[in-house]
Amino acid sequence: MSENQTKNNFQKNDYKYGFVTDIEVDELPKGLSEEIVREIWKRKAEPDFMLEQRLKAFRHWQTLTEPTWANVNYPKIDYQDIRYFSAPKKKENSPKTLSDIDPELLKTFERLGIPLSEQKRISGVAMDVVFDSVSVGTTFKEDLEKVGVIFCSISEALQKYPDLVKKYFGKVVPFTDNFFAALNAAVFTDGSFVYIPKGVRCPMDLSTYFRINNKETGQFERTLIIAEEGSYVNYLEGCTAPQYDSNQLHAAVVELVALENAEIKYSTVQNWYSGDKDGKGGVYNFVTKRGLCEGRHSKISWTQVEAGSAITWKYPSCILKGDNSIGAFYSVALTNGKMQADTGTKMIHIGKNTKSTIVSKGISADHSSNVYRGLVKIMPSAENARNYSQCDSMLVEDNCSAHTVPYIEVHNNSAVLEHEASTTKISADQLFYLQSRGMDQEKAISLLVNGFCKDVFKELPLEFSVEAVKLIEMKLENSIG
Amino acid sequence: MLEIKNLKAQIEDNQILKGLNLKVKQGEVHAIMGPNGSGKSTLAKVISGHPDYQVTEGEVHFEVNMKQKNLLEMEPYERAREGVFLAMQYPIEVPGVSNFTLLYTAFNEICKHQGVEEMSESDFRKFVEKKCQIVGMNPSFLDRSVNEGFSGGEKKKNEILQLLVLNPRVALLDETDSGLDIDALRVVSEGVNKYKNSHNAVVLITHYQRLLDYIEPDFVHVLYKGKIIKSGDKTLALRLEKEGYDWLIKDIQ
């Protein structure tokens, strides 16, 4: 810890979340086997059907090989060298209130700028915190329970509401979906569960904070959000990790289900450690996120600010099954140093009059590589489907790269699709122009980046968008000029 | 107010300014003329601190409230905050940043630096809308991205709008008249005339007398091969208009 802190003092603008929390952990040995899968299930005290699910997923995973189609390069991952379960040691049972949480842990969250205290009431955000593999505390449970909203860790949900979880778990992202989804289904340890009952507008924003602490632990969280008919929820997630020189694997699965007239807004600010300037260390962020617009007139929107991770590989997607349903994807992906990002979305139009919007803003700096990869698929049943896609790239300096790979599949002639793409470069001339009007470099960059990302930032809740702007500015400061 | 002594500057290895001297007092209007490639734009950029140019020798002093500041030691934004303004020959497009945001941010940065109270957004909008009228710009321009999709004339008007709003101590206008039709030229000139007073100064870089018909210079300088080879009053510009630069260049050769 002290070593990391010293490093931080010397390198201004370095990753400020790079500290490690000294905390007693309960962990399983490294490696992956049926034994480990059973052991995870046992420790989580899950219902029987989950063991079956996990084992099926594990056996399926063993038959798969890691995909290589993404435009990312990394050394082969040794899945036997990863620890699949690590949890802060519990004093007795699980923490019932916040005061039961290890004070070290609370201090960690304060350093991260997210006091798990009543302060959050002011900003009106209920928060769940996942530390390594285990959810350590959810705030405002009572307030939410009053209106029937369930917001808890998925482990708790499996114990308390097994039928509800069983009904939807793996329905949007089945374990057969892909390599990492199978791995996640076998070994996931925690994540958030949200249930919004019929006709309820969730009275506050819900938020989950993910933190990887342990060096050799993979984080495999699993999030499931269900919005019943006519309900609404705004969900936010943030992620950080300590600074290690080895790579950590993060393979999450997020499933969203929106029923008739329901709306889910899902926002992410991802700032996992991205490795040092030589590309050493950093998190591999291989995530499957998908939303199902099951009911008519349902709406799902993904907003993401991807600013961390050594490698990001994710495509938050929408399956527009219900007639008149609407999907949206707003993304800012920033890469600098030696970071690699291959991210985008899939919009699958099945229902009639379905609409989707894609706004992707990629910013690449230094020696990084930034790829937008997206699929818009119009199925034969999707009469009058509409899609609007806008993919803009911004290059900072000359050694980085930006690629846009849009796939379009149309099986219905009534569809109308629009695609716009642009590439711009932050130029020394622009910086000089703004500086000659009295703005220092930092302010000038912030204006330029904000201007570029405006269409996405405006989709974020105010608090988050302020954080996102700061994050992007901080990351770019060393790359420009 | 602005004093340039023996200024030498280069871009890459190309020496452009070769020992330039110029003294501008408050309340004065100076016109800088000269054939293409003589270093006029370079002079404006060096004064405002463009990073592409290296100053190899000389001094640029700027007097603010009886205090001498060495501009060459300051960052471009520090110069701007002290009151140096460059209206560019080719104003830069800044996609995604609205004119209003640029003006408001710049205005407040300058106020902060000069110890003046910042203005609220709504007061500022009213203030700016009035300035828009002077240069004949529809206030809806304020919400468009800076210079993006603007015509040549609109870009130049926008520079003058910034001049009027930021109200600097010295305004360097780099060929603000180029690419303007007759009406736009008049509007832009009127803007500059509204700006100038006995406390500030204007340095006009231009090729043509027609701008000087509207903005009357106190001094006219001819820049040639990086040096001022001739200074005079406004009649010098009239003679240049008639006879070109040949007679001057022959003189020094």
Side-chain angles (χ1 to χ4, degrees):
Chain A
M1 183 161 167
S2 61
E3 200 191 310
N4 270 316
Q5 275 170 346
T6 325
K7 217 197 279 167
N8 273 353
N9 291 341
F10 278 107
Q11 299 176 326
K12 200 181 138 254
N13 290 330
D14 257 13
Y15 189 67
K16 73 168 176 170
Y17 305 107
F19 57 88
V20 181
T21 306
D22 223 348
I23 212 161
E24 270 195 278
V25 289
D26 171 23
E27 56 188 22
L28 288 175
K30 282 184 186 177
L32 186 53
S33 61
E34 281 207 14
E35 282 304 283
I36 292 282
V37 173
R38 277 175 202 280
E39 198 54 40
I40 292 172
W41 171 78
K42 204 151 83 195
R43 297 221 177 182
K44 309 296 298 180
E46 291 170 354
D48 291 347
F49 77 88
M50 277 317 295
L51 177 63
E52 203 184 309
Q53 276 261 4
R54 284 176 180 277
L55 289 174
K56 256 199 237 163
F58 175 68
R59 286 169 197 146
H60 180 70
W61 178 77
Q62 285 179 307
T63 68
L64 301 174
T65 46
E66 203 172 320
T68 52
W69 48 263
N71 190 16
V72 293
N73 291 302
Y74 57 93
K76 216 169 160 36
I77 298 171
D78 180 356
Y79 291 92
Q80 297 305 333
D81 196 37
I82 293 172
R83 196 184 305 285
Y84 291 86
F85 184 83
S86 165
K89 211 165 216 168
K90 291 165 186 174
K91 280 183 178 159
E92 282 171 12
N93 282 320
S94 60
K96 296 230 168 27
T97 66
L98 290 175
S99 51
D100 292 341
I101 294 173
D102 189 322
E104 269 296 309
L105 202 52
L106 285 179
K107 253 189 253 162
T108 300
F109 291 116
E110 256 158 50
R111 285 177 75 176
L112 293 169
I114 45 158
L116 269 176
S117 61
E118 290 297 294
Q119 286 179 32
K120 276 286 151 191
R121 188 183 290 274
I122 301 158
S123 53
V125 176
M127 184 169 263
D128 184 24
V129 173
V130 177
F131 195 81
D132 278 345
S133 307
V134 166
S135 171
V136 292
T138 306
T139 54
F140 296 116
K141 255 186 191 167
E142 295 82 18
D143 293 359
L144 294 169
E145 271 166 15
K146 267 180 222 154
V147 288
V149 170
I150 303 171
F151 178 38
C152 62
S153 71
I154 194 122
S155 307
E156 191 182 332
L158 274 163
Q159 288 159 9
K160 283 193 184 162
Y161 319 100
D163 295 340
L164 202 51
V165 179
K166 195 176 174 183
K167 188 170 169 194
Y168 291 103
F169 188 95
K171 291 294 180 298
V172 187
V173 181
F175 67 81
T176 49
D177 192 80
N178 68 67
F179 182 85
F180 295 105
L183 179 62
N184 176 287
V187 301
F188 78 92
T189 34
D190 223 331
S192 293
F193 176 77
V194 175
Y195 176 81
I196 316 289
K198 193 171 166 179
V200 170
R201 211 184 147 82
C202 188
M204 59 182 82
D205 294 349
L206 304 182
S207 169
T208 300
Y209 202 89
F210 294 101
R211 173 84 181 162
I212 300 178
N213 191 54
N214 198 314
K215 189 171 180 173
E216 288 145 331
T217 305
Q219 181 143 341
F220 305 94
E221 84 260 0
R222 184 101 199 178
T223 294
L224 176 59
I225 299 179
I226 302 153
E228 288 278 8
E229 267 178 45
S231 66
Y232 170 85
V233 63
N234 194 9
Y235 183 88
L236 324 167
E237 83 183 338
C239 334
T240 61
Q243 212 162 326
Y244 288 125
D245 52 13
S246 56
N247 298 103
Q248 295 149 288
L249 177 63
H250 171 253
V253 170
V254 175
E255 297 177 281
L256 313 181
V257 181
L259 300 175
E260 197 169 320
N261 285 312
E263 179 173 359
I264 302 174
K265 280 185 158 181
Y266 193 106
S267 307
T268 305
V269 173
Q270 183 265 106
N271 186 22
W272 299 117
Y273 178 54
S274 57
D276 66 12
K277 62 177 184 355
D278 301 318
K280 203 164 186 211
V283 171
Y284 292 162
N285 188 34
F286 301 159
V287 170
T288 308
K289 289 183 165 174
R290 196 173 301 155
L292 172 63
C293 283
E294 170 83 41
R296 288 165 51 230
H297 296 281
S298 56
K299 234 169 137 177
I300 288 179
S301 75
W302 298 99
T303 305
Q304 60 171 21
V305 176
E306 299 287 320
S309 297
I311 302 177
T312 296
W313 189 356
K314 66 179 260 202
Y315 313 91
S317 305
C318 296
I319 300 173
L320 304 170
K321 189 176 161 199
D323 290 348
N324 299 82
S325 60
I326 297 174
F329 173 74
Y330 302 97
S331 169
V332 168
L334 168 87
T335 54
N336 67 347
K338 295 251 165 89
M339 285 164 66
Q340 308 172 51
D342 193 310
T343 181
T345 185
K346 288 191 271 184
M347 293 290 170
I348 315 292
H349 292 252
I350 301 170
K352 293 187 187 86
N353 307 316
T354 46
K355 269 190 219 155
S356 61
T357 303
I358 298 170
V359 178
S360 163
K361 305 277 179 177
I363 306 170
S364 10
D366 305 328
H367 291 268
S368 66
S369 148
N370 201 327
V371 179
Y372 167 82
R373 189 187 301 275
L375 168 69
V376 177
K377 190 171 185 175
I378 313 288
M379 303 297 275
S381 54
E383 278 300 314
N384 295 316
R386 296 275 181 283
N387 165 264
Y388 172 75
S389 300
Q390 186 190 339
C391 302
D392 298 324
S393 309
M394 183 183 250
L395 299 171
V396 181
E397 311 277 307
D398 290 319
N399 295 316
C400 51
S401 70
H403 306 274
T404 299
V405 192
Y407 300 85
I408 294 171
E409 274 181 50
V410 179
H411 303 285
N412 185 312
N413 285 335
S414 64
V416 178
L417 282 79
E418 285 174 80
H419 184 94
E420 286 179 30
S422 75
T423 303
T424 50
K425 218 175 141 183
I426 284 200
S427 64
D429 281 339
Q430 283 177 332
L431 283 177
F432 175 67
Y433 189 61
L434 296 177
Q435 289 193 57
S436 76
R437 299 302 181 250
M439 290 164 229
D440 59 22
Q441 172 145 321
E442 210 174 307
K443 194 92 193 179
I445 292 171
S446 131
L447 267 192
L448 290 171
V449 169
N450 261 310
F452 180 69
C453 302
K454 198 167 56 182
D455 296 341
V456 174
F457 287 162
K458 71 170 197 252
E459 297 296 324
L460 288 170
L462 186 63
E463 249 197 4
F464 248 45
S465 92
V466 171
E467 193 189 322
V469 170
K470 275 203 202 130
L471 179 62
I472 301 277
E473 280 167 18
M474 201 182 75
K475 286 238 154 190
L476 276 182
E477 230 165 76
N478 289 336
S479 303
I480 300 180
Chain B
M1 168 173 247
L2 182 70
E3 190 171 4
I4 301 169
K5 285 186 196 162
N6 191 34
L7 185 63
K8 295 185 182 174
Q10 61 184 36
I11 182 163
E12 281 153 11
D13 285 331
N14 197 0
Q15 191 78 29
I16 298 176
L17 299 182
K18 299 169 180 167
L20 185 144
N21 296 289
L22 181 68
K23 205 167 173 177
V24 178
K25 292 189 187 138
Q26 57 182 32
E28 292 178 348
V29 176
H30 290 246
I32 308 232
M33 304 181 78
N36 289 329
S38 55
K40 300 186 298 295
S41 287
T42 299
L43 174 63
K45 285 178 180 162
V46 168
I47 297 172
S48 51
H50 196 289
D52 287 354
Y53 297 86
Q54 293 97 44
V55 173
T56 51
E57 221 179 304
E59 294 162 31
V60 178
H61 290 287
F62 187 52
E63 195 188 288
V64 178
N65 301 331
M66 317 286 280
K67 271 184 217 148
Q68 289 286 333
K69 309 235 170 187
N70 183 357
L71 280 189
L72 298 179
E73 284 174 355
M74 295 158 69
E75 292 290 326
Y77 69 88
E78 294 171 317
R79 302 180 198 201
R81 290 177 191 178
E82 291 295 352
V84 176
F85 180 89
L86 169 63
M88 294 194 185
Q89 185 180 0
Y90 305 108
I92 308 294
E93 297 188 2
V94 192
V97 178
S98 73
N99 282 299
F100 185 80
T101 305
L102 173 94
L103 286 167
Y104 190 49
T105 314
F107 184 82
N108 278 340
E109 292 290 338
I110 292 168
C111 284
K112 235 187 282 170
H113 177 78
Q114 298 185 351
V116 184
E117 208 181 317
E118 293 166 44
M119 224 187 267
S120 77
E121 202 173 312
S122 59
D123 285 351
F124 185 74
R125 190 171 274 273
K126 279 179 219 146
F127 167 72
V128 174
E129 282 178 0
K130 261 189 213 141
K131 304 288 179 188
C132 281
Q133 282 174 9
I134 299 176
V135 288
M137 277 168 78
N138 189 313
S140 67
F141 263 82
L142 293 172
D143 299 312
R144 284 176 54 184
S145 291
V146 176
N147 295 324
E148 198 183 28
F150 284 26
S151 71
E154 286 167 341
K155 284 182 183 173
K156 295 297 176 76
K157 283 185 190 172
N158 201 19
E159 294 291 284
I160 300 307
L161 174 67
Q162 292 175 12
L163 171 72
L164 290 165
V165 170
L166 302 179
N167 196 23
R169 293 187 169 105
V170 59
L172 311 165
L173 308 182
D174 188 3
E175 295 197 28
T176 298
D177 53 340
S178 69
L180 293 184
D181 63 31
I182 296 159
D183 291 331
L185 180 67
R186 198 179 54 240
V187 168
V188 160
S189 306
E190 275 168 15
V192 176
N193 285 330
K194 283 255 165 58
Y195 154 76
K196 86 179 163 83
N197 61 35
S198 57
H199 302 290
N200 58 29
V202 177
V203 177
L204 297 168
I205 290 167
T206 182
H207 279 294
Y208 303 108
Q209 170 61 34
R210 54 174 196 185
L211 178 69
L212 306 179
D213 291 340
Y214 294 103
I215 309 168
E216 196 175 298
D218 301 299
F219 300 92
V220 175
H221 310 275
V222 177
L223 188 56
Y224 181 65
K225 290 193 172 167
K227 280 184 184 174
I228 287 175
I229 55 165
K230 179 94 182 162
S231 297
D233 61 12
K234 60 182 177 181
T235 57
L236 177 57
L238 292 168
R239 185 170 173 196
L240 291 171
E241 179 85 352
K242 249 189 245 152
E243 301 177 28
Y245 295 104
D246 278 356
W247 61 280
L248 274 172
I249 293 165
K250 254 182 232 153
D251 254 15
I252 62 157
Q253 274 163 349

